[in-house]
Amino acid sequence: MGMAVVAMLTVTGCGKTSGSIDDIDAFDPAQIAENLEAYTMKDCKDAEDPSKNKNVYIDFSDGMFNVFQSGYNKQMIKNLTNRLTNEVKWFQLANGKIEPLEGTSTQVFDKIYVDKNYNSIMAPIAKAVDVITGSSEETLLITDFEEYTTVNDKKPEEVPHHAFAMNGFKQWLKKGNTIDFYITDFTEEGKTKHLYFVVFSTPAGELKDLVEKAFEGNNFTYKTYTIAPYKYAMSTKYPSETKGGNFYDEKGVDNIFIMDEAKGFKYKNACDKGYEFYPSAQPWEDIHANAVAYMEEGTPKQFTHLMRNLFINMQDVTAYKIDKLDVRVSDVTEDFEFFVKTREVAKNKPKMTTDGSGNKVVDEENNNPIALECYNADGSLKKEWKYEPKAIKELREVLALDTKLYENSMKENAAETEIGIVFHPNYNDNEALRNARLVRVDVVIAECTPNYDNLDELFSWESINVKGEKNDALAQSIKNALQEVNPKGKAIYSYYIYTM
């Protein structure tokens, strides 16, 4: 039926069709992979239309002069400047202002690389964090994170305890983005402080890749700390690119799902985006019956898991302690179909004309049915076509996490902690499951606590100006941000299972 509908549509351009919005088939085999990716990434604000602009903000306060006198810092900054010269826009933080670094690439390099240029005061670090996190542009911030302020025109004073970066960090992370710290040490007045290369990444992660390439091939000594509440390092070990983690018999045949590629549907491994797509020619009752048949004694290869050989690198999870994972099964058919339609509506904005009174109105003669159906006469979107999530129907007692496999593999090698999906012990083949065309199986963080173990060591230092006190403003900013963006209850990976 879906294929027949697609055949009736006349495509006139990217995102444009002569068909009605009711004719849009969210499960069109040619579009479903793209639709699922957009649906998976929809909660990440900077994923759908990412900015390609990249920036570097550098602290030019006089305290940074000491950075160049210690360890590998000067060489690291040199490597970064050379690697990023034609890739980014450069900004300096000095005298309470954020200003672009003007000039040729050679002039910009000399400004950054010559240590005597670091002679200003009052680098506006707090302001820089707010500007960076209020945008959608990937940015590298290079600073010692020592914020100063003035009160009543008095001499600038250090801000050693106020968590001035907390709100910016929260804002950036809640959009589904990540923050990576690369941390080195330097000495000022006999006291050890830290230099931070802070990468604010969107899901594209392009700037982080460039930074790491700049550090490649050198014996630089630095520590790393990543805050990525909703993104984890996942990998798969599947038979091939066209085969997933589902069960295959001793001959390598899929006799459980019986994935339906004859109608144009193809398995999709989008592990790097956090999801996979399994099209099945079988209803759920047959999927389960097929599995049960392969559990019988004497079967050459017995069924154990609906899906396995998905791995999460628990060794790299630094900001949180994940105490428990779980599996959540939902019918997302209605929400997915509505999302796809609203996305199509957004691609078909109406062409406007002017009426007799000089008012801009929708041009009735030169618009396709979608534009005419879904937009008001003044060109504004009708409220019913603004995407708001539909109620998701949770399907209980269908699938579960193999907790023994998870726990044992984490003990054996945390970097390759395996996730396996099994049928729930009380498997319930109910009407709700049978009516679900698109089932989403989420691997969910069930229990999670922020990890404060290294915050003091990495993000505080003995104050230069306030005797006997530590500057823990950055540590407090991170601590509070971790509490606010705790990923408990969030899905970290999804399997989409489509049944006919």
Side-chain angles (χ1 to χ4, degrees):
M1 184 65 182
M3 293 293 287
V5 169
V6 172
M8 291 191 295
L9 298 180
T10 303
V11 178
T12 59
C14 180
K16 295 182 180 180
T17 174
S18 62
S20 163
I21 190 63
D22 292 331
D23 294 331
I24 298 299
D25 179 14
F27 299 103
D28 172 7
Q31 295 295 322
I32 194 165
E34 179 188 338
N35 290 340
L36 281 172
E37 180 170 329
Y39 185 68
T40 301
M41 304 295 288
K42 69 182 183 303
D43 295 327
C44 188
K45 306 302 182 187
D46 295 328
E48 181 75 7
D49 186 23
S51 171
K52 291 297 182 183
N53 294 331
K54 301 177 185 66
N55 310 303
V56 179
Y57 287 42
I58 304 180
D59 180 344
F60 270 84
S61 63
D62 52 10
M64 287 284 287
F65 176 85
N66 299 283
V67 165
F68 285 79
Q69 320 309 317
S70 298
Y72 305 104
N73 296 334
K74 188 170 186 176
Q75 185 65 36
M76 291 176 78
I77 291 173
K78 175 184 174 183
N79 283 20
L80 278 170
T81 309
N82 280 323
R83 186 66 183 84
L84 301 177
T85 294
N86 298 316
E87 304 278 355
V88 304
K89 295 178 181 178
W90 302 87
F91 296 86
Q92 64 178 359
L93 310 179
N95 303 313
K97 299 177 182 178
I98 301 172
E99 296 181 317
L101 284 172
E102 306 287 3
T104 65
S105 58
T106 301
Q107 290 170 329
V108 170
F109 177 88
D110 288 344
K111 172 73 172 178
I112 295 168
Y113 188 63
V114 177
D115 48 17
K116 291 180 181 178
N117 290 329
Y118 294 81
N119 54 16
S120 303
I121 62 169
M122 296 281 293
I125 302 168
K127 181 180 178 181
V129 170
D130 289 341
V131 171
I132 292 167
T133 57
S135 78
S136 297
E137 298 179 359
E138 297 197 331
T139 301
L140 168 63
L141 172 62
I142 304 174
T143 178
D144 61 0
F145 253 101
E146 195 166 71
E147 175 81 345
Y148 280 78
T149 189
T150 57
V151 179
N152 299 325
D153 294 327
K154 292 182 180 179
K155 182 180 177 181
E157 294 181 357
E158 183 182 356
V159 181
H161 303 304
H162 175 54
F164 62 84
M166 173 185 68
N167 289 331
F169 288 169
K170 287 193 304 183
Q171 180 180 11
W172 186 257
L173 295 167
K174 283 185 175 180
K175 289 191 288 186
N177 298 324
T178 63
I179 305 174
D180 288 276
F181 296 84
Y182 300 83
I183 308 161
T184 68
D185 294 339
F186 69 96
T187 303
E188 182 176 345
E189 296 184 14
K191 296 178 180 179
T192 299
K193 294 175 60 178
H194 306 299
L195 172 65
Y196 299 96
F197 301 91
V198 191
V199 183
F200 295 83
S201 294
T202 67
E206 293 176 355
L207 184 55
K208 180 183 176 181
D209 287 343
L210 292 173
V211 169
E212 293 191 339
K213 284 176 182 174
F215 292 161
E216 268 180 19
N218 297 274
N219 294 317
F220 296 146
T221 300
Y222 57 86
K223 296 177 182 177
T224 61
Y225 188 91
T226 298
I227 310 177
Y230 313 125
K231 184 178 180 181
Y232 297 85
M234 313 292 290
S235 60
T236 59
K237 292 183 180 179
Y238 295 162
S240 70
E241 289 185 6
T242 59
K243 290 187 174 183
N246 51 308
F247 176 82
Y248 293 91
D249 67 15
E250 75 282 1
K251 296 178 181 178
V253 177
D254 163 28
N255 280 324
I256 305 298
F257 275 127
I258 309 181
M259 287 198 277
D260 187 17
E261 298 195 357
K263 295 180 181 178
F265 291 102
K266 293 184 179 180
Y267 161 76
K268 172 73 174 178
N269 183 342
C271 179
D272 59 328
K273 297 288 196 306
Y275 77 95
E276 294 174 51
F277 173 56
Y278 292 81
S280 174
Q282 306 293 297
W284 273 96
E285 56 189 314
D286 288 351
I287 292 173
H288 184 251
N290 294 341
V292 170
Y294 270 89
M295 294 180 197
E296 295 178 2
E297 287 187 21
T299 304
K301 181 181 177 182
Q302 286 198 319
F303 174 90
T304 57
H305 296 78
L306 191 66
M307 270 90 70
R308 66 173 300 181
N309 290 315
L310 170 68
F311 300 89
I312 177 172
N313 186 345
M314 296 297 289
Q315 194 168 278
D316 277 1
V317 181
T318 55
Y320 292 94
K321 296 176 181 177
I322 297 179
D323 303 307
K324 182 181 178 183
L325 292 182
D326 205 348
V327 165
R328 181 172 62 217
V329 183
S330 308
D331 175 5
V332 296
T333 309
E334 185 180 3
D335 187 51
F336 174 70
E337 289 182 309
F338 181 59
F339 171 79
V340 171
K341 288 184 177 183
T342 58
R343 193 164 177 261
E344 193 64 29
V345 168
K347 295 176 183 177
N348 286 273
K349 293 180 180 178
K351 298 173 183 176
M352 307 298 288
T353 188
T354 305
D355 66 13
S357 301
N359 300 312
K360 283 195 171 183
V361 295
V362 170
D363 187 344
E364 296 284 345
E365 298 296 324
N366 294 296
N367 276 296
N368 62 38
I370 292 178
L372 296 176
E373 288 176 53
C374 304
Y375 289 84
N376 295 307
D378 64 357
S380 61
L381 180 69
K382 290 183 178 179
K383 64 179 182 180
E384 61 265 33
W385 290 110
K386 181 180 183 299
Y387 175 72
E388 295 290 345
K390 301 285 186 182
I392 302 297
K393 304 168 188 173
E394 188 169 349
L395 303 170
R396 301 185 182 277
E397 298 187 338
V398 177
L399 302 174
L401 179 76
D402 184 343
T403 54
K404 287 185 178 178
L405 176 66
Y406 171 73
E407 291 169 359
N408 290 339
S409 60
M410 181 159 55
K411 289 176 184 175
E412 185 177 326
N413 181 7
E416 287 193 346
T417 301
E418 186 173 0
I419 292 171
I421 308 297
V422 297
F423 282 102
H424 195 281
N426 303 324
Y427 175 76
N428 183 4
D429 179 25
N430 55 38
E431 185 178 356
L433 178 61
R434 291 195 295 272
N435 290 336
R437 292 181 70 195
L438 185 66
V439 169
R440 177 170 172 163
V441 181
D442 290 322
V443 180
V444 175
I445 297 176
E447 297 293 340
C448 178
T449 53
N451 181 9
Y452 305 133
D453 291 351
N454 298 320
L455 291 189
D456 186 59
E457 174 193 348
L458 297 176
F459 301 110
S460 66
W461 54 91
E462 191 174 351
S463 173
I464 300 295
N465 303 293
V466 186
K467 277 193 173 183
E469 290 194 30
K470 276 194 170 184
N471 186 319
D472 64 351
L474 179 55
Q476 290 296 323
S477 296
I478 293 174
K479 179 181 179 181
N480 284 283
L482 292 181
Q483 292 170 347
E484 290 290 325
V485 295
N486 191 317
K488 179 179 178 179
K490 298 292 185 180
I492 59 173
Y493 201 83
S494 300
Y495 300 95
Y496 292 99
I497 301 173
Y498 174 61
T499 52
M500 306 301 146

